Amino acid sequence: MPVNLILLYVSDFIDPHRVRIHDRRFQHMRSVHQAQVGERFRVGVLNGMTGEGEVVAISERQVELNVRLNQAPPKPLPLQLIMALPRPKMLKRTLETVATLGVKDLWLINSYRVDKSYWSTPILRPEKAREHLLLGLEQAGDTRLPRIHLRKRFKPFVEDELPALARNTRALVAHPYDAQPCPAPTSEPTTLAIGPEGGFIAYEVEKLREAGLEAIHLGPRILRVETAVPVLLSRLFPLEL
Amino acid sequence: MPVNLILLYVSDFIDPHRVRIHDRRFQHMRSVHQAQVGERFRVGVLNGMTGEGEVVAISERQVELNVRLNQAPPKPLPLQLIMALPRPKMLKRTLETVATLGVKDLWLINSYRVDKSYWSTPILRPEKAREHLLLGLEQAGDTRLPRIHLRKRFKPFVEDELPALARNTRALVAHPYDAQPCPAPTSEPTTLAIGPEGGFIAYEVEKLREAGLEAIHLGPRILRVETAVPVLLSRLFPLEL
């Protein structure tokens, strides 16, 4: 797989314009790209600027790059994304996809159709989740790490937190029944809730509506969560974002 | 996982309004849904109408449903989708996703960045590919099986077939560089080419342009193929499709 961006951490810098890398990123540059002295790669500092890095030294154990960081990363989506916790296999891909698409705030919440066991997956451990988010950022060429908020109880979240999150935003829940068509793309701040496989149950949709969310549908086809996410974000936001 | 639609085959019918099922579909209805006599399921005949089936008998080995087929399946996308053959793991998901999204004609073509080994994956065997397409249809609630066209040589396809396919359609190739922004949704007949991970090479983009395709981009982020497909189709076609 290509690396569209090599993410750099503050700890990689050995002086203000030079980094030294010796982990997974180095392995990848070496084995996949057969990086050579003089070659250039797109780089970006985690939560910072992007630019170009030129290989100035490479050994069996590490690579050194001179870096010039002069470009802002892509704009974040003005979105608060709320998702019923997907099953582990899908969670991995979901974390990568939301990071790739520019989501910066993701709430993973409980729902009647979320199996309790999903909450004990190692993928939810901060360091594991972060790995998948970083892969998504590298894919997109982005540097800004999304924040994940875990809410293991549906009702307290929807009653006590969600109304304030949703206020003054375009607040939506994707739901195939008794819903309006998905609205046109705009850049306005948006709160979007996406249910589990099989959807939110009627009680949950009712609670989400009470919190200020309007139900929207995506047309006659029922989509898997991992397909629904890119479809919804493409329909809700303009191309520039 | 829920079954949004149970696909029926002509061979399932034991009289014009009754089917008998004893394969994977029966297992799923029994173990996942604990189907009971009197329960109703959405059903659809492969390449035909959809409707409702009521369980009238169930045993350890099979289930019988009375079916009423009175609804057309969702409309097909007016799209000829051309994709560089993805690696096997992604191919599976791609077949399911394109079937779910309503693609009916998929060309899988060679490209410089398609590893030769990908062409020998068992997933390309017609019966295997069909399985994944059927899963995608069941997910969407659709019945019309997509056609897959394999083209193992890039140049003959692009020179001899593509110009005729592209003629009188909105003909596009997704390409991040030197490209127009993705156009607005319309229902017009469309031909869309999507490259491999890492993209088509310059020579290939040039050949695709000569065949009448215009390069379009999806904004500042670089997407994986499996994310690019739903994003492109959502941007190119209106919600009703």
Side-chain angles (χ1 to χ4, degrees), chain A residues 181-195:
Chain A
C182 182
T186 75
S187 308
E188 68 191 303
T190 299
T191 305
L192 171 67
I194 300 178

Side-chain angles (χ1 to χ4, degrees), chain B residues 89-125:
Chain B
K89 200 175 142 191
M90 201 178 285
L91 175 60
K92 268 193 225 181
R93 293 207 293 267
T94 302
L95 292 177
E96 296 179 18
T97 305
V98 302
T100 294
L101 291 170
V103 174
K104 298 305 171 193
D105 276 290
L106 173 64
W107 280 259
L108 292 170
I109 71 168
N110 200 32
S111 147
Y112 183 79
R113 294 207 174 99
V114 169
D115 194 292
K116 276 212 178 71
S117 67
Y118 297 175
W119 286 103
S120 45
T121 174
I123 301 161
L124 283 180
R125 284 186 210 142

